[in-house]
mmCIF file of all heavy atoms in Angstrom:
data_model
loop_
_atom_site.group_PDB
_atom_site.id
_atom_site.type_symbol
_atom_site.label_atom_id
_atom_site.label_comp_id
_atom_site.label_asym_id
_atom_site.label_seq_id
_atom_site.Cartn_x
_atom_site.Cartn_y
_atom_site.Cartn_z
ATOM 1 N N ALA A 1368 -30.597 302.834 92.185
ATOM 2 C CA ALA A 1368 -30.229 301.366 92.217
ATOM 3 C C ALA A 1368 -30.345 300.748 93.490
ATOM 4 O O ALA A 1368 -30.807 299.575 93.671
ATOM 5 C CB ALA A 1368 -28.847 301.251 91.530
ATOM 6 N N GLY A 1381 -41.565 300.031 101.969
ATOM 7 C CA GLY A 1381 -42.754 300.801 101.701
ATOM 8 C C GLY A 1381 -42.456 302.331 101.582
ATOM 9 O O GLY A 1381 -41.650 302.873 101.072
ATOM 10 N N VAL A 1423 -16.380 325.587 100.931
ATOM 11 C CA VAL A 1423 -17.566 324.681 100.957
ATOM 12 C C VAL A 1423 -17.444 323.440 101.774
ATOM 13 O O VAL A 1423 -16.421 322.813 101.675
ATOM 14 C CB VAL A 1423 -17.942 324.437 99.501
ATOM 15 C CG1 VAL A 1423 -19.224 323.343 99.485
ATOM 16 C CG2 VAL A 1423 -18.205 325.574 98.627
ATOM 17 N N ARG A 1515 4.188 325.491 100.584
ATOM 18 C CA ARG A 1515 4.505 326.784 101.074
ATOM 19 C C ARG A 1515 3.240 327.536 101.567
ATOM 20 O O ARG A 1515 3.298 328.055 102.721
ATOM 21 C CB ARG A 1515 5.085 327.634 99.939
ATOM 22 C CG ARG A 1515 5.438 329.031 100.328
ATOM 23 C CD ARG A 1515 5.910 329.865 99.179
ATOM 24 N NE ARG A 1515 4.877 330.108 98.185
ATOM 25 C CZ ARG A 1515 5.100 330.811 96.965
ATOM 26 N NH1 ARG A 1515 6.195 331.348 96.647
ATOM 27 N NH2 ARG A 1515 3.942 330.905 96.143
ATOM 28 N N GLY A 1530 -2.418 328.540 121.848
ATOM 29 C CA GLY A 1530 -2.623 327.485 123.024
ATOM 30 C C GLY A 1530 -3.499 326.380 122.517
ATOM 31 O O GLY A 1530 -3.710 325.369 123.279
ATOM 32 N N GLY A 1557 -0.493 307.578 93.147
ATOM 33 C CA GLY A 1557 -1.858 306.804 93.289
ATOM 34 C C GLY A 1557 -2.460 306.708 91.810
ATOM 35 O O GLY A 1557 -2.996 305.679 91.535
ATOM 36 N N PHE A 1562 -3.865 302.569 87.586
ATOM 37 C CA PHE A 1562 -3.783 302.034 86.166
ATOM 38 C C PHE A 1562 -3.112 300.681 86.141
ATOM 39 O O PHE A 1562 -3.492 299.666 85.760
ATOM 40 C CB PHE A 1562 -3.184 302.979 85.278
ATOM 41 C CG PHE A 1562 -2.606 302.335 83.992
ATOM 42 C CD1 PHE A 1562 -3.314 301.881 83.087
ATOM 43 C CD2 PHE A 1562 -1.176 302.383 83.918
ATOM 44 C CE1 PHE A 1562 -2.694 301.203 81.866
ATOM 45 C CE2 PHE A 1562 -0.543 301.758 82.736
ATOM 46 C CZ PHE A 1562 -1.451 301.283 81.791
ATOM 47 N N LYS A 1623 5.538 303.062 77.696
ATOM 48 C CA LYS A 1623 6.569 304.264 77.536
ATOM 49 C C LYS A 1623 5.746 305.449 77.380
ATOM 50 O O LYS A 1623 4.605 305.426 76.794
ATOM 51 C CB LYS A 1623 7.525 304.036 76.349
ATOM 52 C CG LYS A 1623 6.660 303.729 75.021
ATOM 53 C CD LYS A 1623 7.665 303.392 73.861
ATOM 54 C CE LYS A 1623 6.906 303.226 72.549
ATOM 55 N NZ LYS A 1623 7.825 302.839 71.509
ATOM 56 N N GLY A 1654 8.334 325.509 86.467
ATOM 57 C CA GLY A 1654 7.188 324.515 86.142
ATOM 58 C C GLY A 1654 6.882 324.408 84.710
ATOM 59 O O GLY A 1654 5.870 323.680 84.411
ATOM 60 N N ASP A 1698 -17.561 317.986 72.089
ATOM 61 C CA ASP A 1698 -17.024 318.389 70.766
ATOM 62 C C ASP A 1698 -15.635 317.669 70.278
ATOM 63 O O ASP A 1698 -15.355 317.705 69.179
ATOM 64 C CB ASP A 1698 -16.595 319.896 70.895
ATOM 65 C CG ASP A 1698 -17.822 320.875 71.076
ATOM 66 O OD1 ASP A 1698 -19.045 320.403 70.577
ATOM 67 O OD2 ASP A 1698 -17.722 321.888 71.681
ATOM 68 N N ASP A 1721 -18.135 310.906 78.727
ATOM 69 C CA ASP A 1721 -18.070 309.691 79.498
ATOM 70 C C ASP A 1721 -18.959 308.550 78.983
ATOM 71 O O ASP A 1721 -18.580 307.438 78.759
ATOM 72 C CB ASP A 1721 -18.368 310.128 81.028
ATOM 73 C CG ASP A 1721 -18.167 308.891 81.858
ATOM 74 O OD1 ASP A 1721 -19.010 307.938 82.001
ATOM 75 O OD2 ASP A 1721 -17.094 308.845 82.529
ATOM 76 N N MET A 1771 -5.185 301.806 98.565
ATOM 77 C CA MET A 1771 -5.727 301.832 97.236
ATOM 78 C C MET A 1771 -5.908 300.454 96.741
ATOM 79 O O MET A 1771 -7.023 300.189 96.033
ATOM 80 C CB MET A 1771 -4.771 302.672 96.383
ATOM 81 C CG MET A 1771 -4.674 304.122 96.724
ATOM 82 S SD MET A 1771 -4.016 305.200 95.409
ATOM 83 C CE MET A 1771 -5.322 305.207 94.152
ATOM 84 N N ASP A 1785 -20.354 293.421 85.849
ATOM 85 C CA ASP A 1785 -21.751 294.079 85.399
ATOM 86 C C ASP A 1785 -21.470 295.018 84.238
ATOM 87 O O ASP A 1785 -20.257 295.304 84.027
ATOM 88 C CB ASP A 1785 -22.383 294.624 86.564
ATOM 89 C CG ASP A 1785 -21.721 295.846 87.182
ATOM 90 O OD1 ASP A 1785 -21.138 296.611 86.337
ATOM 91 O OD2 ASP A 1785 -21.752 296.096 88.345
#
Side-chain angles (χ1 to χ4, degrees):
V1423 174
R1515 179 185 68 176
F1562 157 70
K1623 58 183 177 182
D1698 294 333
D1721 187 276
M1771 294 196 71
D1785 66 37

